[in-house]
Amino acid sequence: MQVHFESRDPEGAQLRELVIERLRFALRRVDLRPASAHISLSDTNGPRGGIDKRCTLSLNTQGAGHLVIHASASSWRASFELALARLARNLVRAWQRQRSHPRSNGKRHLPAPSAD
């Protein structure tokens, strides 16, 4: 899997290795092997502070398609962890949908007529 990391802020860039390792670990747990992932950390307010650290995770998978998750928090790590938790929930839901609803062959199953 190719992982692209982007952050213009030096503090966000320091988390590069940790973020990539955590993403790979989370994806290994849901047993999906995406072709590529893009992680972007940005500061929406600049030096003013507040809940302005934004993490965007973009993932291309075969089963779930293209997923983009956004999360904001007051710290870089918190925004990434929040986005990663959302991504994992979405991937698990997509995996469960695939298992519980196999593609039909176009036939609809109608209920049997009652003998009233």
Side-chain angles (χ1 to χ4, degrees):
M1 168 178 69
Q2 291 181 337
V3 179
H4 303 282
F5 179 86
E6 175 186 345
S7 178
R8 293 183 186 185
D9 192 280
E11 289 180 37
Q14 289 177 353
L15 294 175
R16 182 181 198 284
E17 296 303 319
L18 174 72
V19 165
I20 291 172
E21 182 181 328
R22 293 275 297 128
L23 178 67
R24 287 181 193 262
F25 178 76
L27 293 177
R28 194 170 42 235
R29 291 186 65 205
V30 293
D31 198 28
L32 286 174
R33 291 174 181 53
S36 65
H38 183 84
I39 305 164
S40 175
L41 298 177
S42 59
D43 191 347
T44 57
N45 266 353
R48 290 186 284 180
I51 300 178
D52 65 337
K53 308 296 192 261
R54 184 175 177 95
C55 178
T56 303
L57 295 176
S58 177
L59 197 67
N60 289 321
T61 66
Q62 286 183 334
H66 183 74
L67 296 172
V68 179
I69 306 292
H70 302 284
S72 295
S74 58
S75 72
W76 296 110
R77 177 118 188 223
S79 66
F80 171 71
E81 293 294 336
L82 183 59
L84 188 61
R86 288 179 183 168
L87 177 70
R89 277 194 308 270
N90 282 323
L91 289 175
V92 167
R93 265 190 249 129
W95 180 74
Q96 287 173 339
R97 250 182 281 151
Q98 283 181 342
R99 291 193 57 183
S100 65
H101 300 293
R103 295 197 180 245
S104 65
N105 57 2
K107 296 179 183 175
R108 292 183 128 191
H109 296 291
L110 300 174
S114 62
D116 287 330

